[in-house]
């Protein structure tokens, strides 16, 4: 980085603080002594989503949030939790340095989070995401939820007994 006043490359940071999703830094040029402000943000790579039909489109966080919101309607799940889930999905792929994700993977990530938050929201999201065509597939999803839930309880009982 160069000083915008004299072009010198040696700068020192006077102050640094977080602002929204950015970091605000006050800098001072070592040569001319002029001060200026910079804003730094983490660059998130563009994420493309491969749909079930094979088409590819840009990841839309608002669309994901809307899908989760429809699953949590009239349920005791806060808006912060919804945003947290959407951020988790976005960060998951950014941290893995992946630029393409299948919609099924994204759905599974959301379901994993909803499973821990609210069982009804989980089933609602699964009913849209897994595209239930009959009652049997709906019952199978509920059974799967119960089975995974009981496996978690069994594991916690084993861990408690080992202590």
């Amino acid at each position: 980085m160069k000083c915008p006043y004299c072009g010198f490359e040696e700068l020192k940071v006077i102050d640094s603080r977080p602002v929204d999703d950015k970091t605000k830094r006050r800098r001072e040029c070592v040569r001319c002594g002029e001060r200026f402000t910079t804003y730094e943000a983490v660059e998130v790579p563009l994420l493309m989503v491969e749909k079930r039909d094979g088409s590819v489109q840009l990841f839309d966080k608002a669309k994901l949030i809307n899908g989760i919101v429809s699953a949590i309607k009239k349920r005791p799940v806060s808006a912060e939790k919804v945003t947290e889930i959407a951020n988790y999905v976005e960060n998951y792929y950014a941290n893995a340095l992946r630029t393409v994700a299948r919609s099924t993977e994204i759905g599974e990530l959301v379901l994993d989070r909803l499973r821990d938050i609210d069982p009804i929201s989980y089933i609602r999201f699964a009913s849209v995401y897994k595209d239930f065509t009959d009652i049997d597939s709906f019952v199978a999803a509920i059974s799967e939820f119960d089975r995974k839930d009981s496996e978690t309880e069994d594991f916690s009982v084993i861990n408690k007994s080992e202590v």
Side-chain angles (χ1 to χ4, degrees):
M1 179 179 293
K2 294 181 181 181
C3 172
Y5 301 102
C6 70
F8 195 62
E9 291 189 13
E10 194 173 330
L11 308 168
K12 62 181 180 180
V13 176
I14 305 297
D15 183 36
S16 183
R17 64 183 68 186
V19 177
D20 297 325
D21 290 338
K22 300 175 186 173
T23 302
K24 178 181 178 181
R25 297 194 195 279
R26 256 332 251 162
R27 297 180 184 271
E28 183 178 334
C29 177
V30 174
R31 180 193 286 164
C32 69
E34 292 290 333
R35 292 183 175 188
F36 59 97
T37 302
T38 60
Y39 292 90
E40 298 175 16
V42 175
E43 185 176 1
V44 179
L46 286 178
L47 179 61
M48 302 301 288
V49 178
E50 183 180 331
K51 307 300 253 176
R52 288 183 185 152
D53 65 1
S55 65
V56 178
Q57 60 182 242
L58 190 61
F59 174 74
D60 186 356
K61 188 174 177 179
K63 189 174 176 181
L64 178 61
I65 288 173
N66 287 337
I68 298 169
V69 164
S70 66
I72 65 152
K73 256 183 203 149
K74 297 184 180 181
R75 298 296 305 154
V77 179
S78 67
E80 290 82 26
K81 285 287 184 189
V82 173
T83 305
E84 189 179 295
I85 293 170
N87 288 340
Y88 170 77
V89 169
E90 195 172 39
N91 291 335
Y92 176 84
Y93 290 104
N95 291 339
L97 300 176
R98 289 185 51 194
T99 56
V100 179
R102 292 193 315 268
S103 61
T104 54
E105 293 173 337
I106 293 172
E108 288 297 329
L109 287 173
V110 172
L111 284 175
D112 285 345
R113 292 299 181 164
L114 284 176
R115 176 180 287 113
D116 298 334
I117 296 171
D118 183 54
I120 302 300
S121 299
Y122 170 87
I123 295 300
R124 285 180 180 170
F125 190 85
S127 70
V128 174
Y129 156 69
K130 294 187 177 186
D131 194 25
F132 296 144
T133 53
D134 57 14
I135 293 175
D136 292 334
S137 56
F138 190 75
V139 170
I142 294 171
S143 300
E144 178 184 331
F145 179 83
D146 285 341
R147 186 175 64 249
K148 286 186 179 180
D149 202 31
S150 66
E151 287 173 4
T152 305
E153 288 174 7
D154 291 344
F155 183 71
S156 65
V157 169
I158 291 169
N159 284 342
K160 288 177 185 175
S161 65
E162 291 175 357
V163 175

